């Protein structure tokens, strides 16, 4: 897709209004089905009449920011209704879909105004992201009509923008590796649902999945095996693979956040380079990096340097959780004990905090923001230079205190946002004893915000994220079964104003989304008829997960 020449004039949002009559519905109203759009828009006005796509319909792009979204619209229409429309810079008298930027549009940079009139469809936004999301909503309106009726869509006017800036999905590819095509398919669905952060868990005890040029054994040795097959051939992403996926995500308005786990969950790395091991336990050998060796810090700084160069986004996630599972030798190893004493650290907990602060400083030195699991709060990393991921749903006081200290927080608690937990009583495979069904996912995050978040700190909540840990998920089919359609509920949590959320209405739109998944050949859990989409088998010899 070629970008248009710069310097084209942006048009006023006033031009968005098409010539048809609208029945206004405010934010608290519940328009039936929201024209099939997931996540439900912030403001929806049902109109009278329809717009018909035909062979003479043109896609008109009036600013450079519309070039990429127009390309997605062109391909989306061809796929859905069989029309290969031309992209132009001037509009015909009627029968056009116009994409234009407008600084005066009353929405955020990711917001858009979509007006469907009988003669013209207009998508107006301040920036490319909003135009892209407006295109997704238009395609969803077509999908809701179905292939047979999709050439005609009802008149409507939508003013939309996200509730949260961070709308994320995490995929663990250390425990089981899925590969480029699966990741791209996940990114496609994230974009369709207006999710914009892909947290990529690339290293852990089961396997190291990202090529580091300076340390080739990380993938040659550390990439061998997975959670259920310790001797499986090495699988990982080359740096060219990473660049390809990052570029693919960027076109879809998705920022990828790499996670390089430390100081725990390091067994794959210490298998490859045992000289950097801080020991482990009988159950978790080689679980930690050595926090008492300057060579360890140099090694990790080298790794992070290559990672930072591959991922242009502003974040690197360093993990920082569950170190106690394998730090017993920190009390007895002479080098580690000597290092601790030299730096005036009274015990291994203070040493852990020193490690986290030092590596956060290295990330800051690379021009990135440090992200980490909620344990890093105790390490006193600077609140203005870090983002906390609150995952321990049973530690509400920790969330409250972190917000009071000024930390920015992404909400991703096990209950209800870990998608490896079962989603229905009676399912055979998945985390227990609780289950995270579609309704529980959908009813997040407002109970937490109401009951836990201190007054005056709500703006520190950056957004929400679902986590797909893969100890019990091996293979594309099972991954999709555990992710879809729960990801649609996550999207509405992240985007839609609380006043517009209505579970019954959402279920009606989910029925349409399942048809989209059928078209894309994505296996899913059918919440309406579970027997229709059978549960895939579990991976053999699955071990008990760490958390």
């Amino acid at each position: 897709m070629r970008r248009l020449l710069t310097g084209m004039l942006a048009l006023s949002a006033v031009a968005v209004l098409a010539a048809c009559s609208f029945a206004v519905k405010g934010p608290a109203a519940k328009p039936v089905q929201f024209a099939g759009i997931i996540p439900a828009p912030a403001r929806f006005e049902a109109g009278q009449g329809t717009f018909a796509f035909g062979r003479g319909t043109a896609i008109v792009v009036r600013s450079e920011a519309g070039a990429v979204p127009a390309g997605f619209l062109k391909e989306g229409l061809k796929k859905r209704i069989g029309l290969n429309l031309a992209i132009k810079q001037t509009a015909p008298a009627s029968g056009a879909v116009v994409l234009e930027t407008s600084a005066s549009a009353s929405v955020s940079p990711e917001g858009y105004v979509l007006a469907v009139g009988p003669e013209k469809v207009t998508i107006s936004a301040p920036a490319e992201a909003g135009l892209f999301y407006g295109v997704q909503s238009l395609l969803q309106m077509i999908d809701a009509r179905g292939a047979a009726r999709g050439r005609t869509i009802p008149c409507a006017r939508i003013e939309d923008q996200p509730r949260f800036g961070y709308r994320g999905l995490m995929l663990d590819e250390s425990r089981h590796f899925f590969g480029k095509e699966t990741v791209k398919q996940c990114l496609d669905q994230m974009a369709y649902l207006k999710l914009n952060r892909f947290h990529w868990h690339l290293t852990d005890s089961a396997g190291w999945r990202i090529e580091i040029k300076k340390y080739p054994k990380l993938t040659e040795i550390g990439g061998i095996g997975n959670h259920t097959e310790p001797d499986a051939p090495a699988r990982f992403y080359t740096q060219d693979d990473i660049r390809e996926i990052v570029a693919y995500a960027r076109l879809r308005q998705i920022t990828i956040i790499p996670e390089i786990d430390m100081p725990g969950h390091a067994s794959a790395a210490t298998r490859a380079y045992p000289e950097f091991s801080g020991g482990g336990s009988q159950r978790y050998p080689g679980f930690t990096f050595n926090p008492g060796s300057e060579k360890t810090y140099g090694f990790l700084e080298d790794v992070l340097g290559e990672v930072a160069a591959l991922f242009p986004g502003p974040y690197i996630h360093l993990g920082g959780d569950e170190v106690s599972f394998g730090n017993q030798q920190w009390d007895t190893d002479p080098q580690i004990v000597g290092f601790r004493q030299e730096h005036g650290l009274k015990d291994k907990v203070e040493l852990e905090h020193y490690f986290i602060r030092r590596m956060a400083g290295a990330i800051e030195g690379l021009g990135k923001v440090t992200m980490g699991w909620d344990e890093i709060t105790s390490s006193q990393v600077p609140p203005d230079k870090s983002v906390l991921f609150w995952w321990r749903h049973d530690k509400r006081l920790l969330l409250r205190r972190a917000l009071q200290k000024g930390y920015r927080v992404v909400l991703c608690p096990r209950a209800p946002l870990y998608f490896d937990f079962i989603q229905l009583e009676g399912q055979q495979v998945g985390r227990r004893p609780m289950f995270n069904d579609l309704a529980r996912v959908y009813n997040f995050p407002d109970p937490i915000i109401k009951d836990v978040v201190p007054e005056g700190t709500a703006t520190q909540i950056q957004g929400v994220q679902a986590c797909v840990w893969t100890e019990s998920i091996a293979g594309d089919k099972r991954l999709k079964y555990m992710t879809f359609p729960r990801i649609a509920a996550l999207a509405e949590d992240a985007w839609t104003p609380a006043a517009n959320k209505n579970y019954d209405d959402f279920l009606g739109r989910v029925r349409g989304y399942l048809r989209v998944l059928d078209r894309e050949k994505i296996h899913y859990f059918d919440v309406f008829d579970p027997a229709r989409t059978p549960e895939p088998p579990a991976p053999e010899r699955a071990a008990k997960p760490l958390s």
Side-chain angles (χ1 to χ4, degrees):
M1 291 173 285
R2 294 183 178 179
R3 289 191 171 274
L4 299 180
L5 295 175
T6 59
M8 295 183 180
L9 295 176
L11 299 184
S12 168
V14 175
V16 170
L17 296 175
C20 61
S21 174
F22 294 105
V24 177
K25 297 181 183 292
K30 301 295 188 301
V32 176
Q33 308 293 304
F34 286 102
I37 296 170
I38 299 176
R43 185 175 178 86
F44 182 97
E45 302 169 12
Q48 296 179 356
T50 60
F51 175 85
F53 291 93
R55 296 188 184 280
T57 303
I59 299 171
V60 179
V61 182
R62 288 178 168 161
S63 67
E64 182 181 357
V68 171
F72 278 96
L73 178 59
K74 177 182 175 71
E75 293 304 312
L77 293 172
K78 184 177 180 181
K79 179 178 185 177
R80 287 164 173 81
I81 57 177
L83 292 177
N84 188 16
L85 303 185
I87 297 178
K88 302 180 178 180
Q89 296 181 24
T90 57
S94 63
V97 181
V98 179
L99 278 66
E100 60 188 24
T101 53
S102 171
S104 62
S106 56
V107 292
S108 69
E110 290 187 294
Y112 63 93
V113 178
L114 168 61
V116 181
E119 302 295 332
K120 181 173 68 172
V121 176
T122 305
I123 302 173
S124 177
E128 181 178 309
L131 293 175
F132 181 84
Y133 293 136
V135 165
Q136 300 311 308
S137 289
L138 180 59
L139 293 175
Q140 287 189 4
M141 292 177 71
I142 295 169
D143 285 335
R145 300 280 289 172
R149 300 186 301 151
R151 291 195 178 194
T152 302
I153 58 174
C155 287
R157 185 175 188 275
I158 297 168
E159 292 182 13
D160 201 10
Q161 59 187 2
R163 179 181 184 183
F164 294 114
Y166 188 107
R167 306 180 299 279
L169 179 72
M170 189 223 77
L171 177 62
D172 166 25
E173 283 206 82
S174 173
R175 274 52 174 257
H176 287 104
F177 184 89
F178 300 95
K180 282 195 299 185
E181 295 312 310
T182 293
V183 168
K184 287 181 177 180
Q185 197 168 33
C186 287
L187 293 171
D188 286 340
Q189 291 305 308
M190 287 178 64
Y192 185 75
L193 297 169
K194 306 182 179 76
L195 297 171
N196 67 346
R197 299 288 186 267
F198 181 63
H199 175 180
W200 208 359
H201 189 78
L202 290 165
T203 76
D204 209 304
S205 293
W208 185 283
R209 309 300 182 197
I210 176 172
E211 179 188 26
I212 302 298
K213 297 286 190 180
K214 189 169 183 178
Y215 299 99
K217 289 190 289 185
L218 283 171
T219 46
E220 292 170 1
I221 297 174
I224 293 172
N226 57 51
H227 191 72
T228 54
E229 297 179 76
D231 298 324
R235 298 194 69 187
F236 59 91
Y237 293 101
T238 67
Q239 293 198 357
D240 284 343
D241 292 334
I242 296 288
R243 293 186 188 96
E244 177 184 338
I245 293 170
V246 166
Y248 191 89
R250 189 187 301 125
L251 287 174
R252 290 156 180 79
Q253 301 299 318
I254 296 170
T255 298
I256 298 184
I257 300 162
E259 181 178 350
I260 307 299
D261 231 331
M262 61 181 77
H265 294 275
S267 302
T270 60
R271 286 197 303 272
Y273 293 95
E275 61 268 34
F276 302 127
S277 175
S281 63
Q282 183 175 359
R283 183 177 180 186
Y284 306 114
F287 187 76
T288 63
F289 288 113
N290 184 346
S293 170
E294 288 296 332
K295 291 182 179 180
T296 300
Y297 295 106
F299 162 74
L300 290 172
E301 288 167 4
D302 290 340
V303 168
L304 291 172
E306 292 196 31
V307 169
L310 289 169
F311 293 91
Y315 311 108
I316 292 179
H317 198 295
L318 55 66
D321 64 318
E322 299 176 327
V323 180
S324 63
F325 288 175
N327 66 354
Q328 291 79 5
Q329 289 172 243
W330 291 14
D331 283 328
T332 58
D333 182 280
Q335 184 185 35
I336 296 175
V337 172
F339 185 92
R340 175 174 60 76
Q341 293 173 343
E342 178 185 348
H343 288 78
L345 307 169
K346 68 179 181 180
D347 55 26
K348 63 187 175 187
V349 174
E350 286 197 1
L351 179 56
E352 174 188 335
H353 296 168
Y354 168 89
F355 179 100
I356 294 294
R357 290 194 302 271
R358 182 163 173 177
M359 297 317 301
I363 290 172
E364 181 187 356
L366 292 166
K368 306 288 187 179
V369 174
T370 296
M371 291 181 153
W373 302 111
D374 58 41
E375 285 93 335
I376 72 168
T377 312
S378 302
S379 300
Q380 299 181 341
V381 291
D384 60 333
K385 298 175 182 177
S386 55
V387 178
L388 167 73
F389 284 64
W390 181 65
W391 68 277
R392 291 179 290 180
H393 68 280
D394 53 336
K395 294 190 179 294
R396 293 187 169 200
L397 184 59
L398 184 150
L399 172 60
R400 177 182 288 273
R401 288 176 175 170
L403 290 167
Q404 289 170 335
K405 291 178 181 179
Y407 283 99
R408 292 168 289 169
V409 178
V410 173
L411 302 175
C412 55
R414 286 176 294 192
L417 295 185
Y418 273 26
F419 282 3
D420 54 329
F421 279 93
I422 60 173
Q423 48 201 323
L424 181 71
E425 292 283 7
Q427 282 187 333
Q428 299 301 306
V429 183
R431 300 273 290 278
R432 287 175 169 76
M434 56 189 169
F435 64 98
N436 294 335
D437 65 7
L438 189 69
R440 292 183 183 186
V441 176
Y442 189 81
N443 289 327
F444 190 79
D446 293 287
I448 289 294
I449 292 175
K450 178 181 177 181
D451 297 340
V452 182
V453 174
E455 185 176 354
T457 66
T459 57
Q460 294 164 224
I461 302 296
Q462 302 296 286
V464 297
Q465 173 176 288
C467 298
V468 188
W469 298 105
T470 61
E471 290 94 337
S472 60
I473 300 174
D476 178 88
K477 193 171 184 179
R478 178 151 199 88
L479 173 66
K480 305 296 178 50
Y481 181 83
M482 298 300 282
T483 304
F484 299 97
R486 288 191 285 192
I487 191 175
L490 169 76
E492 198 138 313
D493 293 341
W495 183 282
T496 302
N500 280 16
K501 290 180 68 177
N502 179 286
Y503 187 62
D504 290 336
D505 184 271
F506 172 71
L507 282 178
R509 287 176 283 124
V510 166
R511 287 186 183 276
Y513 183 52
L514 297 188
R515 292 194 294 270
V516 172
L517 297 176
D518 285 330
R519 181 189 70 206
E520 301 299 322
K521 295 180 172 54
I522 294 175
H523 191 66
Y524 56 86
F525 170 66
D526 191 331
V527 294
F528 306 104
D529 183 9
R532 192 177 74 84
T533 55
E535 180 180 10
E540 296 181 1
R541 303 193 307 277
K544 182 180 178 181
L546 296 183
S547 58

